[in-house]
């Protein structure tokens, strides 16, 4: 299943409600599962981003729906990167090499 690395920053609302962040993480995982995705890992970080999530979803549309739902709550803004595992990268290299 395709993987996505999502970088998250709290909004003003999100930081005001920081005490609920672990519960919000659980709700994020449950919502992703309902839509057909899976949160592989969720980390709270120090630096340019407040959280990092690794998400699996069957396709770009599903992960987009998951992240739209998450963003719609108003606690975070996201930047998402499609990630490729070793096997996927080998197939990409084989295609590129012709």
């Amino acid at each position: 299943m395709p993987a996505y690395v999502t970088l998250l920053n709290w909004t003003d609302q999100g930081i005001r409600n920081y005490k609920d962040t672990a519960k919000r993480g659980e709700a994020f995982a449950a919502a992703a599962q309902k839509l057909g995705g899976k949160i592989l890992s969720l980390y709270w970080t120090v630096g340019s981003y407040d959280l990092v999530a690794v998400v699996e979803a069957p396709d770009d549309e599903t992960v987009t729906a998951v992240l739209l739902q998450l963003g719609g709550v108003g606690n975070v803004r996201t930047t998402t990167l499609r990630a490729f595992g070793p096997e996927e990268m080998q197939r990409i290299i084989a295609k590129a090499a012709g």
Side-chain angles (χ1 to χ4, degrees), residues 16-98:
R16 274 194 310 272
N17 298 313
Y18 73 90
K19 291 179 183 177
D20 297 330
T21 189
K23 290 179 185 175
R24 292 194 314 250
E26 292 171 8
F28 173 40
Q33 191 168 7
K34 278 186 178 180
L35 292 172
K38 182 177 182 183
I39 308 305
L40 298 180
S41 54
L42 179 63
Y43 299 101
W44 285 260
T45 57
V46 176
S48 298
Y49 297 95
D50 298 312
L51 299 98
V52 175
V54 179
V55 182
E56 270 188 348
D59 50 49
D60 292 346
E61 291 84 3
T62 301
V63 78
T64 301
V66 167
L67 296 172
L68 280 171
Q69 250 187 17
L70 175 66
V73 175
N75 293 307
V76 293
R77 297 198 191 293
T78 63
T79 300
T80 301
L81 311 164
R82 171 63 164 91
F84 298 93
E87 297 83 17
E88 291 172 299
M89 199 62 212
Q90 287 296 338
R91 289 192 303 269
I92 291 167
I93 291 167
K95 278 187 180 183

